[in-house]
Amino acid sequence: MTGGLRIDNLEGKNIHIDPGPGALIRSYQFGLNPRRLDAIIVSHSHTDHYTDAEVLIEAMTRGMTRSKGTVIGSLSVIKGYKDWGPCISKYHLSKTENIILEDGETTKLDNIKITATKTIHGDPTCIGFKFQTPRITISYTSDTAYFNELGSYHRGADVLIASVIRPDNEHIRGHMCSDDFKLLIENVKPKLAIMTHLGMKMIFNDPDGEALRVQEDTDTRVIAARDGMCIDLEQLTDHQLTLDDYGYRGAPVAQSGRARDS
């Protein structure tokens, strides 16, 4: 499934990140109400990251009858850049607050500071996101090749979520493999690291085994995401958690609530 991931009840906000194909259907399948979204965040203009953005905007705005919510995205997503985008119509953006970010720029969603992080990807305006709150920091790389400065953008994250397409040292342009993720974890030193957006080679090559290998090499809890996985991170900042504490049924994340792949 390529419906992105959702962070619920982060400082009271529900956020859907990179809602690709199936995001609306999977939200309902996994018991998440898209009408209760406060923000939709899209990292770049590739279809597996933005396809369902407009239908989620319609849900968030009650069928475009209310001005509600925030859309945050790269330049290509909201305005278009050269051959990329725009990905969301002016009509759908007419009922939301719209924020374009470039790497290094920040914005706020009430008590959440959101910083755009640099990527190296096919869409040159692609960005990742770091979500900082008084209690927890969650960082998401989006799609990117590994580069030496990548860790500096995500340093300080309690939870690091990364797109890890291929296992071992198998590289594909503009994406990370497991060995790249290991380097990133060693640089960032998160409390929890999650591999998501797994490619078919990863899925057929035992992603849980790959996560365990990276975990053993980095001495950091590493989880390979599955469709519909959910982790409760309510107490992450209070003590060292086990998987039972996380409420582990699957993977991505939240503070004072939960998040899940959709």
Side-chain angles (χ1 to χ4, degrees):
M1 302 178 193
T2 56
L5 60 100
R6 177 161 155 165
I7 303 176
D8 269 9
N9 200 20
L10 184 66
E11 292 293 306
K13 300 297 183 182
N14 300 333
I15 304 168
H16 202 122
I17 302 169
D18 281 353
L24 178 70
I25 293 171
R26 300 306 177 189
S27 293
Y28 281 114
Q29 177 183 348
F30 298 135
L32 301 169
N33 191 340
R35 293 177 297 173
R36 294 180 179 172
L37 286 171
D38 298 288
I40 295 165
I41 295 180
V42 185
S43 63
H44 65 291
S45 63
H46 287 161
T47 53
D48 53 340
H49 292 258
Y50 75 78
T51 304
D52 269 16
E54 291 179 339
V55 293
L56 287 185
I57 289 172
E58 295 216 11
M60 184 170 66
T61 61
R62 300 295 197 274
M64 298 297 291
T65 63
R66 302 181 188 179
S67 293
K68 180 180 180 290
T70 303
V71 175
I72 301 172
S74 67
L75 176 63
S76 63
V77 168
I78 294 179
K79 283 195 173 179
Y81 176 80
K82 295 185 177 179
D83 293 335
W84 293 272
C87 304
I88 303 173
S89 71
K90 292 181 180 179
Y91 167 71
H92 286 95
L93 293 174
S94 67
K95 295 292 186 179
T96 58
E97 179 184 3
N98 308 306
I99 300 170
I100 297 172
L101 291 179
E102 297 182 6
D103 66 86
E105 294 183 339
T106 65
T107 189
K108 296 205 76 173
L109 190 64
D110 287 351
N111 292 328
I112 307 169
K113 179 182 178 182
I114 302 173
T115 303
T117 63
K118 183 178 178 179
T119 73
I120 296 178
H121 193 52
D123 176 348
T125 73
C126 176
I127 49 177
F129 301 96
K130 179 187 278 189
F131 305 89
Q132 295 171 279
T133 78
R135 292 188 58 211
I136 195 169
T137 297
I138 300 168
S139 217
Y140 167 65
T141 66
S142 185
D143 288 354
T144 181
Y146 182 82
F147 56 97
N148 289 335
E149 299 80 22
L150 182 60
S152 65
Y153 287 91
H154 299 279
R155 202 164 292 142
D158 298 297
V159 180
L160 176 65
I161 306 169
S163 295
V164 183
I165 302 297
R166 289 192 171 180
D168 300 314
N169 197 35
E170 291 192 31
H171 287 90
I172 183 172
R173 185 177 179 182
H175 296 87
M176 282 191 286
C177 62
S178 299
D179 285 1
D180 293 327
F181 191 39
K182 182 174 72 172
L183 293 174
L184 182 60
I185 292 170
E186 290 171 341
N187 200 322
V188 175
K189 297 183 176 12
K191 297 176 182 177
L192 174 66
I194 300 168
M195 307 189 311
T196 190
H197 201 43
L198 311 179
M200 294 306 292
K201 283 192 174 183
M202 174 71 85
I203 290 170
F204 289 121
N205 196 64
D206 184 16
D208 290 334
E210 280 293 286
L212 180 60
R213 180 177 69 85
V214 175
Q215 175 175 296
E216 291 173 344
D217 288 345
T218 60
D219 197 28
T220 299
R221 167 55 73 184
V222 179
I223 295 173
R226 295 194 194 102
D227 299 323
M229 293 173 83
C230 175
I231 294 178
D232 189 336
L233 299 182
E234 168 66 29
Q235 303 176 62
L236 180 62
T237 57
D238 297 332
H239 66 279
Q240 185 65 38
L241 299 182
T242 66
L243 284 180
D244 288 338
D245 291 315
Y246 285 126
Y248 178 74
R249 298 189 299 281
V253 300
Q255 174 228 347
S256 299
R258 57 188 179 181
R260 54 168 93 218
D261 271 346
S262 57

